[in-house]
């Protein structure tokens, strides 16, 4: 029973249940051992030392129960045939034995409590082990979590698992049971408040379902003249400026719903650039499917009119004939003299996901209100597909995200256990972020609504993809310029741990540390680098280097511990822009389909790590190892310049990209 209770405590995974079992166990064992102690130790002592007090009691009991036998015992004692009862111990000796009994009893209570409480402690290994890392990664990047897409049932299982691991580590949960809600945009909803009024007066009214509002449409009310055209105007001098461009729905739209959505959005963006106040498409047949995981809103309304509504607008029964007639005009934009008011309403749909948060209290009362933050993002791409960040857009299957970023999450959990055993002076905040792949939404939420004073944060260490250490043992570390203490400390640690470090001083980068750098927090971004499995279903658990992960985490532990023991709070220094200037972010930006070398810290071009098959860069002939030096004649010095140039480009545009390959300058034509 004793061993059974300890085993129950050991396997028990819920702290309240552990302590309930502990209390019940103490009560049971005390009730079991104390009677044994009294029977075998204390009672014999009492019987030997206090026998002169007992005959009276026995005699009284005897008279009540057995008067005949009792009288015989008295007669035998009187005849000297029974020995006289006498005191064996003096009162002082009895006091000593009584005190000894109390001490033994207390020792039994303490021993029992210690054994039970030890059995009920969280079960984990303070050491960082490859087995624990492997077990966690195989769960986090397993089929059951289906790629860890935010807002899904699997996302809830994921965050519950992480909170439980922090709980087993002995961490203190923050916010609501260790969770901070993060609201992110997911798709859109077209309301019923959409209609079109023809004429300045009451006019004709077109409502749903005859009017289909496109998901990227702005929510707005626009009044203007209907300008009829067969295609988009080529200059801002056309009469479309300030009016409602009315054009036929393009024939031969892409059969894929996402591609069709993207194509129409690109057209409407071009119309907005030429001054159109709104775009009205005329459909002569069925509207093809239009799909998108992201709304990507434009600044102007955009709708499709269905089921003969064009005839009502144009006051003719043959809208095809009208477009056919104007196609022969030299001026392809024709004023109709008809005015319309277009009212559109599209709302973003939000989903709820969560960051996880746990604290390790520092041991120094003067420094424990200062923090080291160690974090990693726990989300990934779900099942991938069109509209996701998958590099295989045509593949709908589990995107495991073992390196990106189950490796980082497992690392944060292991570090929470290991650093607890080192009893640091400052406190630690361990966190995993939601919705990083959707634009750093989780870390931005925490930075905007911090659970600790960010002015008292010593450093934020971000672990993103730490599972693919190469044979040269190269660590990529970003943010080294965000505090003057980092360079010397890192040089010292890399010698102890036998790492080669490729560093970048910039505080901004494509991961969650950027959200804290924007709040003047010193940051370090630690990674083993990108690889060709990145953002594909091939990023699976069996491919990770778990021995390398363990080495990286011991390096991070020494780094974090050293920063926690510094006598003074370290200084923050600016190291580059706090965001990619001019960038529209991940949402809606055109891409070349390549992975830049974000660790390059120079100003002589942007090295390309690798390109994705089937995307514009690969189709144009770009290769991994090329260095992009210019886009459309505009110089590229580094990744920040590259992101700036991307923000100026539009879908469907063709650009000349200049690259350096093996010392030779090459010009490539990219079709976006």
């Amino acid at each position: 029973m004793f061993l059974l209770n300890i085993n129950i405590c050991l396997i028990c995974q819920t702290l309240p249940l552990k302590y309930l079992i502990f209390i019940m166990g103490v009560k049971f064992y005390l009730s079991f051992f104390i009677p044994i102690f009294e029977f075998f130790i204390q009672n014999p002592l009492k019987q030997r030392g206090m026998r002169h007090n007992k005959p009276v009691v026995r005699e009284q009991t005897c008279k009540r129960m057995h008067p005949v036998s009792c009288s015989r015992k008295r007669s035998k004692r009187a005849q000297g045939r029974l020995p006289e009862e006498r005191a064996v111990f003096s009162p002082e000796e009895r006091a000593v034995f009584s005190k000894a009994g109390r001490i033994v009893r207390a020792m039994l209570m303490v021993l029992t409590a210690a054994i039970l409480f030890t059995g009920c402690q969280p079960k984990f290994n303070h050491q960082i082990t490859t087995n624990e890392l492997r077990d966690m990664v195989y769960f986090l990047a397993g089929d059951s979590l289906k790629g860890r897409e935010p807002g899904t049932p699997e996302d809830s299982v994921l965050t519950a698992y992480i909170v439980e691991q922090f709980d087993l580590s002995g961490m203190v949960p923050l916010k609501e049971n260790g969770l901070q809600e993060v609201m992110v945009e997911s798709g859109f909803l077209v309301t019923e408040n959409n209609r079109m009024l023809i004429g300045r007066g009451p006019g004709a009214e077109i409502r749903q379902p005859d009017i289909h509002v496109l998901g990227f449409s702005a929510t707005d009310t626009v009044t203007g003249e209907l300008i009829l055209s067969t295609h988009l105007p080529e200059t801002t001098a056309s009469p479309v400026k300030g009016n409602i461009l009315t054009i036929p729905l393009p024939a031969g739209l892409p059969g894929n719903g996402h591609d069709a959505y993207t194509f129409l959005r690109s057209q409407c963006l071009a119309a907005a650039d030429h001054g159109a106040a709104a775009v009205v498409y005329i459909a002569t047949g069925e509207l093809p499917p239009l799909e998108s995981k992201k709304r990507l809103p434009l600044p102007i309304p955009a709708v499709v009119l269905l089921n003969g509504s064009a005839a009502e607008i144009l006051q003719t029964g043959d809208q095809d004939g009208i477009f056919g007639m104007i196609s022969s005009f030299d001026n392809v934009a024709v004023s109709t003299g008809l005015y319309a008011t277009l009212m559109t309403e599209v709302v973003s749909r939000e989903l709820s996901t969560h960051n996880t948060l746990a604290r390790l209290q520092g041991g120094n009362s003067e420094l424990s209100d200062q923090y080291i933050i160690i974090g990693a993002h726990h989300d990934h791409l779900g099942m991938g597909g069109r509209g996701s960040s998958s590099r295989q857009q045509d593949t709908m299957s589990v995107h495991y995200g073992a390196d990106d970023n189950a490796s980082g999450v497992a690392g944060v959990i292991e570090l929470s256990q290991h650093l607890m055993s080192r009893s640091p002076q400052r406190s630690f905040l361990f966190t995993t972020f939601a919705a990083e792949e959707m634009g750093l939404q989780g870390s931005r939420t925490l930075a905007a609504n911090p659970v600790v004073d960010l002015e008292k944060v010593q450093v934020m260490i971000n672990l993103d993809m730490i599972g693919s250490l190469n044979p040269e043992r190269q660590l990529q570390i970003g943010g080294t310029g965000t505090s003057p203490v980092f360079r010397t400390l890192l040089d010292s640690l890399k010698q102890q741990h036998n790492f080669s470090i490729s560093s970048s001083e910039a505080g901004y980068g494509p991961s969650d540390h950027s959200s804290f750098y924007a709040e003047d927090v010193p940051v370090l971004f630690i990674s083993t680098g990108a690889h060709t499995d990145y953002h594909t279903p091939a990023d699976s658990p069996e491919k990770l280097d778990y021995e390398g992960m363990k080495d990286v985490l011991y390096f991070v532990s020494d780094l974090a511990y050293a920063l926690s023991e510094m006598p003074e709070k370290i200084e923050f220094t600016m190291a580059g822009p706090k965001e990619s200037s001019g960038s529209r972010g991940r949402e809606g930006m055109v891409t070349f389909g390549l992975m830049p070398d974000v660790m390059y810290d120079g100003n002589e071009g942007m090295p390309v790590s690798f390109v994705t098959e089937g995307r514009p860069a690969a189709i144009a002939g770009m290769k991994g190892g090329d260095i992009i030096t210019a886009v459309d004649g505009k110089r590229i010095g580094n990744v920040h310049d590259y992101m700036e140039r991307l923000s100026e480009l539009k879908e469907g545009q063709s650009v000349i990209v200049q690259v350096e390959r093996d010392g030779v300058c090459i010009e490539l034509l990219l079709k976006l």
Side-chain angles (χ1 to χ4, degrees), residues 185-508:
E185 181 180 325
S186 175
F188 50 87
L189 177 67
V190 176
T191 72
E192 296 180 356
N193 302 321
N194 297 281
R195 59 190 185 277
M196 188 172 184
L197 300 176
I198 310 300
R200 294 185 182 277
E205 183 178 47
I206 302 174
R207 285 183 169 271
Q208 295 168 298
D210 292 338
I211 184 172
H212 177 91
V213 180
L214 295 167
F216 50 76
S217 170
T219 295
D220 203 354
T221 298
V222 171
T223 298
E225 184 183 1
L226 296 175
I227 303 298
L228 202 62
S229 180
T230 55
H231 58 270
L232 293 173
E234 296 180 357
T235 68
T236 55
S238 70
V240 74
K241 190 171 184 178
N243 290 312
I244 300 173
L245 176 64
T246 307
I247 58 177
L249 189 69
L253 276 175
N256 179 280
H258 176 267
D259 291 346
Y261 183 96
T262 302
F263 179 84
L264 292 179
R265 183 185 181 279
S266 177
Q267 273 204 337
C268 292
L269 177 61
D273 289 344
H274 287 89
V279 175
V280 174
Y281 285 106
I282 308 295
T284 58
E286 292 293 324
L287 182 67
L290 301 172
E291 302 170 2
S292 177
K293 291 184 177 181
K294 303 169 185 176
R295 185 182 168 212
L296 310 178
L298 290 180
I300 62 173
V303 302
V304 181
L305 298 184
L306 306 166
N307 301 326
S309 298
E312 189 171 359
I313 291 177
L314 303 173
Q315 298 176 345
T316 174
D318 186 10
Q319 60 265 36
D320 289 338
I322 294 293
F323 286 120
M325 180 181 66
I326 66 170
S327 65
S328 62
F329 294 174
D330 291 335
N331 183 0
V332 296
V334 178
S335 297
T336 64
L338 293 174
Y339 283 80
T341 298
L342 182 61
M343 289 161 275
T344 57
E345 184 176 60
V346 185
V347 296
S348 297
R349 205 183 261 127
E350 288 190 322
L351 59 81
S352 172
T353 182
H354 294 87
N355 295 329
T356 69
L357 302 161
R359 180 180 65 206
L360 170 60
Q361 187 69 22
N364 187 320
S365 59
E366 296 182 359
L367 297 177
S368 61
D369 65 339
Q370 297 181 23
Y371 283 84
I372 311 291
I373 300 177
I374 300 182
H377 76 87
H378 58 239
D379 66 306
H380 199 53
L381 308 182
M383 301 298 289
R386 295 282 177 176
S388 72
S389 299
S390 173
R391 293 174 50 238
Q392 296 180 357
Q393 293 276 304
D394 294 329
T395 301
M396 281 290 292
S397 65
V398 176
H399 284 57
Y400 297 103
D403 198 15
D404 185 21
N405 186 31
S407 64
V409 174
V412 171
I413 294 170
E414 281 286 88
L415 285 170
S416 72
Q417 299 172 0
H418 179 62
L419 285 164
M420 185 181 193
S421 69
R422 301 187 72 169
S423 303
Q425 294 194 64
R426 285 179 174 84
S427 297
F428 276 76
L429 172 61
F430 297 100
T431 177
T432 67
F433 303 112
E436 187 266 357
E437 302 288 3
M438 301 174 76
L440 315 184
Q441 294 298 311
S443 57
R444 286 178 177 174
T445 297
L446 180 57
N449 305 278
V451 295
V452 299
D453 186 352
L454 292 183
E455 293 185 358
K456 295 186 176 181
V457 173
Q458 186 86 326
V459 62
M460 188 276 162
I461 300 175
N462 179 31
L463 308 180
D464 196 349
M465 299 178 65
I466 60 169
S468 299
L469 190 65
N470 61 27
E472 291 75 32
R473 292 179 62 81
Q474 186 180 70
L475 272 185
Q476 296 185 356
I477 303 182
T480 57
T482 59
S483 180
V485 307
F486 287 156
R487 179 64 66 184
T488 302
L489 179 57
L490 290 170
D491 286 344
S492 172
L493 289 174
K494 76 176 181 181
Q495 300 300 327
Q496 298 175 32
H497 291 268
N498 189 29
F499 281 119
S500 169
I501 292 180
S502 172
S503 63
S504 167
E505 292 190 352
Y508 175 84

Side-chain angles (χ1 to χ4, degrees), residues 429-607:
L429 172 61
F430 297 100
T431 177
T432 67
F433 303 112
E436 187 266 357
E437 302 288 3
M438 301 174 76
L440 315 184
Q441 294 298 311
S443 57
R444 286 178 177 174
T445 297
L446 180 57
N449 305 278
V451 295
V452 299
D453 186 352
L454 292 183
E455 293 185 358
K456 295 186 176 181
V457 173
Q458 186 86 326
V459 62
M460 188 276 162
I461 300 175
N462 179 31
L463 308 180
D464 196 349
M465 299 178 65
I466 60 169
S468 299
L469 190 65
N470 61 27
E472 291 75 32
R473 292 179 62 81
Q474 186 180 70
L475 272 185
Q476 296 185 356
I477 303 182
T480 57
T482 59
S483 180
V485 307
F486 287 156
R487 179 64 66 184
T488 302
L489 179 57
L490 290 170
D491 286 344
S492 172
L493 289 174
K494 76 176 181 181
Q495 300 300 327
Q496 298 175 32
H497 291 268
N498 189 29
F499 281 119
S500 169
I501 292 180
S502 172
S503 63
S504 167
E505 292 190 352
Y508 175 84
S511 192
D512 290 303
H513 60 284
S514 297
S515 301
F516 296 89
Y517 175 63
E519 301 296 330
D520 293 347
V521 174
V523 297
L524 288 171
F525 170 35
I526 298 178
S527 174
T528 53
H531 44 78
T532 55
D533 293 334
Y534 171 76
H535 278 204
T536 73
D539 182 11
S540 52
E542 71 276 4
K543 295 185 177 180
L544 299 197
D545 175 7
Y546 295 98
E547 283 292 340
M549 280 180 65
K550 182 182 74 172
D551 292 346
V552 171
L553 292 173
Y554 272 118
F555 171 87
V556 175
S557 174
D558 285 350
L559 172 63
Y561 183 75
L563 289 166
S564 76
E565 301 302 290
M566 288 186 173
E568 303 292 336
K569 185 179 182 300
I570 66 174
E571 177 187 354
F572 168 79
T573 53
M574 283 285 293
K578 291 188 175 181
E579 60 181 10
S580 182
S581 58
S583 170
R584 292 179 302 219
R586 298 185 182 194
E587 304 282 330
M589 183 184 291
V590 297
T591 65
F592 286 0
L594 57 83
M595 171 60 69
D597 181 359
V598 296
M599 289 297 111
Y600 173 67
D601 209 22
N603 197 36
E604 300 299 325
M606 190 200 74

